[in-house]
Amino acid sequence: MAEYSYMGLRYYFLGFLFAGDNILSVTYFSATDNARIAFIGSITRGAVAIVFYAVVPSKLFLLKEIWFSFLVAELITFMAALITAIIQRKKSKTIKRETVYYNFMC
């Protein structure tokens, strides 16, 4: 059991690298008036993903893979936040170009 705990804690604490970025991305979306995205990010990392990834692996692979639940939940939330940020950035560039073009023509 101690061997599982030793390796499991390493995987668990690796999740904190992604957790920090997820907290920053949720804060960024909240500060830039994207409350819906910030709320979804908070709920995903805090409840939905962690419960899903804690239940499914424990049923499929027994108890030792439960250590991955925090890491996988944070990683999935990180990837979703990254994709959302990329999409938001492309939208803002498109809006700025249209505004500049409109202002130039008027």
Side-chain angles (χ1 to χ4, degrees):
M1 191 67 155
E3 184 180 331
Y4 291 134
S5 301
Y6 178 73
M7 289 306 294
L9 283 174
R10 286 184 168 197
Y11 298 131
Y12 179 77
F13 287 114
L14 188 61
F16 282 102
L17 296 174
F18 297 106
D21 189 74
N22 290 338
I23 292 168
L24 287 175
S25 65
V26 166
T27 305
Y28 169 77
F29 286 127
S30 179
T32 57
D33 203 25
N34 290 315
R36 178 180 288 169
I37 296 170
F39 179 74
I40 291 170
S42 294
I43 293 298
T44 300
R45 70 174 294 270
V48 176
I50 194 73
V51 170
F52 179 76
Y53 290 113
V55 172
V56 172
S58 66
K59 297 289 184 186
L60 295 176
F61 305 112
L62 300 174
L63 187 60
K64 77 177 191 181
E65 267 69 17
I66 199 162
W67 293 101
F68 286 107
S69 61
F70 178 68
L71 174 62
V72 172
E74 292 294 339
L75 184 62
I76 296 297
T77 307
F78 171 74
M79 292 170 58
L82 185 65
I83 290 168
T84 305
I86 291 170
I87 291 170
Q88 290 287 339
R89 186 173 182 138
K90 286 183 180 180
K91 282 183 181 178
S92 68
K93 284 185 178 180
T94 304
I95 291 171
K96 287 178 184 175
R97 284 186 200 143
E98 290 173 357
T99 305
V100 168
Y101 182 73
Y102 177 76
N103 291 338
F104 180 71
M105 295 305 287
C106 289

